[in-house]
Amino acid sequence: MKKPFYQLEQSRDVIRHFTPNWFTATMGTGVVAMILAQLPFASSILFMLATKLWQFNILLFITFSILYGLRWILFPTEAKQIFNHPNMSLFLGAIPMGLATIANGFLSFGVHLYGDIAVQIATYLWYLDVFFAVLIAWVVPFCMFSCQDHQLQRMTAVWLLPIVACEVAASSAGLLLQHLAADQHALAILIMGYVLWGISVLPAFAILTILMLRLALHQLPEKEVAISSWLCLGPIGTGAMALLLLGQQAPRILNAAGLEELATIVPALGVIGGLVLLGFGLWWFGIAVLTTVRHARTGIPFNLGWWGLTFPFGVFILAIFNLAHQLQFNFFTYIAVALSIVLLALWALVMKKTVVGAYSGQLFFSPCLVALQQKMQ
């Protein structure tokens, strides 16, 4: 049994072993807050709970940012090793996705608390999110191509993480446009949203295709990474959300820009695209459930990868909620509510295990540092 974090050999070990996969906790917590606000029976108490959870998520993100920033300041040589590590580098994509949940929260909760200033904050955070998402979407795959060791049989859905951040930013653009006037600035954000969608969804679908080949040739992943199967829902659910949200705001903005012909087409494309992606996501949902059940028989060891259950599943549920709203189809609402209850239970379980693991010190482990030490021996 490892000592609690405050009894580690050195107090700075928490910083030295802090890795970006901790930001997946902010992704999962942020999406749960958004879902609580979407529930059709949401009361003032439930909305307040969602707001508090969003504010707690801000504290989490700030804490993790400080710890990870300190690692780069205090242990720069070790921190740089992340770009050579074939797995941990992929989790850099969790940082902009965690930031996106905070920006979205300023639009969903902050407007009620702080007024119009919340929209301005969300706008600045969105631009920052786009910068990091695009940068990571370039840098991490380039490192995969140039200086990392990858093999098909070791591939998991974690490959999606540095790519999906751009489409998360695209869906955030749709939320942001709801609060902006139909001017040239809004048109620029709308165009950027679709470009970000293309940057992310198309490479993500290429990765999913390769992943299907890997599963067919080398069977299911090891039980330690079995939960990564749920990550496949991420680009599908977020891709659908982006099409739906951007398509919903496009007519108002395109009409103001004199692009009436496009204004009549884009919303329909959003709904049709959302339905098609929903079907694709339903297939991956079944595969993820079967994979989890298969490995659960022998026990799945807990690690931070369990947060892969929350955010992808959450954005998939949010896409179903949005489709139900735009189509006025109550059956989708019932499905989304049922899945939301499952997600809330999963989030509570993963959060509990994370707190216990953090207190024991077992979750403060940097594979990059271990690889560096082995290289130096």
Side-chain angles (χ1 to χ4, degrees), residues 14-344:
V14 171
I15 298 172
R16 191 181 186 194
H17 287 272
F18 194 85
T19 48
N21 55 347
W22 279 92
F23 285 91
T24 58
T26 66
M27 294 165 56
T29 303
V31 79
V32 167
M34 298 295 291
I35 284 177
L36 284 174
Q38 290 287 325
L39 294 175
F41 47 82
S43 62
S44 58
I45 296 178
L46 196 57
F47 186 82
M48 182 182 67
L49 177 62
T51 303
K52 294 297 183 183
L53 191 60
W54 166 68
Q55 292 173 330
F56 169 69
N57 196 43
I58 295 177
L59 293 177
L60 277 183
F61 189 87
I62 292 174
T63 301
F64 294 165
S65 298
I66 292 173
L67 289 174
Y68 194 51
L70 286 174
R71 189 187 187 204
W72 277 90
I73 295 172
L74 300 177
F75 308 101
T77 302
E78 296 171 358
K80 292 177 183 177
Q81 298 304 310
I82 192 171
F83 296 110
N84 296 319
H85 199 274
N87 292 321
M88 196 51 60
S89 61
L90 304 173
F91 285 97
L92 287 170
I95 298 176
M97 285 190 278
L99 179 60
T101 64
I102 294 174
N104 295 344
F106 271 102
L107 300 172
S108 298
F109 311 112
V111 173
H112 300 282
L113 295 174
Y114 314 119
D116 293 339
I117 189 66
V119 177
Q120 298 179 31
I121 295 173
T123 303
Y124 294 137
L125 290 178
W126 182 79
Y127 278 110
L128 184 63
D129 180 52
V130 169
F131 172 78
F132 282 116
V134 174
L135 181 64
I136 289 170
W138 280 335
V139 172
V140 175
F142 182 77
C143 291
M144 294 173 68
F145 304 156
S146 61
C147 62
Q148 295 178 4
D149 179 25
H150 291 275
Q151 295 182 13
L152 182 62
Q153 68 184 66
R154 298 203 307 261
M155 177 192 184
T156 67
V158 179
W159 279 27
L160 293 164
L161 286 177
I163 298 295
V164 176
C166 283
E167 65 183 275
V168 173
S171 63
S172 296
L175 289 174
L176 180 60
L177 289 173
Q178 297 176 13
H179 300 268
L180 299 180
D183 52 17
Q184 287 296 308
H185 181 216
L187 179 62
I189 292 178
L190 179 67
I191 293 172
M192 290 174 63
Y194 282 108
V195 171
L196 289 166
W197 191 93
I199 289 175
S200 182
V201 173
L202 300 182
F205 274 41
I207 292 172
L208 289 174
T209 302
I210 299 171
L211 182 60
M212 291 177 66
L213 175 64
R214 174 255 178 269
L215 291 172
L217 295 180
H218 301 288
Q219 306 302 301
L220 296 175
E222 299 295 329
K223 63 181 181 180
E224 288 79 9
V225 291
I227 300 299
S228 66
S229 303
W230 291 85
L231 292 173
C232 299
L233 291 176
I236 300 170
T238 312
M241 273 287 292
L243 288 178
L244 289 164
L245 292 172
L246 291 172
Q248 194 174 29
Q249 298 302 313
R252 177 176 62 91
I253 298 169
L254 293 175
N255 280 323
L259 301 170
E260 291 82 2
E261 294 182 359
L262 280 177
T264 59
I265 298 173
V266 175
L269 290 177
V271 173
I272 297 300
L275 285 170
V276 171
L277 288 173
L278 176 64
F280 188 35
L282 185 61
W283 184 82
W284 273 110
F285 175 76
I287 297 298
V289 170
L290 292 173
T291 301
T292 304
V293 171
R294 174 72 176 271
H295 283 296
R297 297 175 180 176
T298 56
I300 302 176
F302 178 75
N303 52 55
L304 288 176
W306 277 43
W307 283 102
L309 273 167
T310 54
F311 185 79
F313 192 20
V315 294
F316 186 66
I317 295 171
L318 287 174
I320 298 175
F321 268 125
N322 200 279
L323 271 172
H325 174 72
Q326 293 199 30
L327 293 174
Q328 297 296 308
F329 191 44
N330 290 332
F331 179 69
F332 278 171
T333 302
Y334 301 146
I335 293 177
V337 170
L339 294 177
S340 297
I341 295 173
V342 175
L343 175 62
L344 291 173

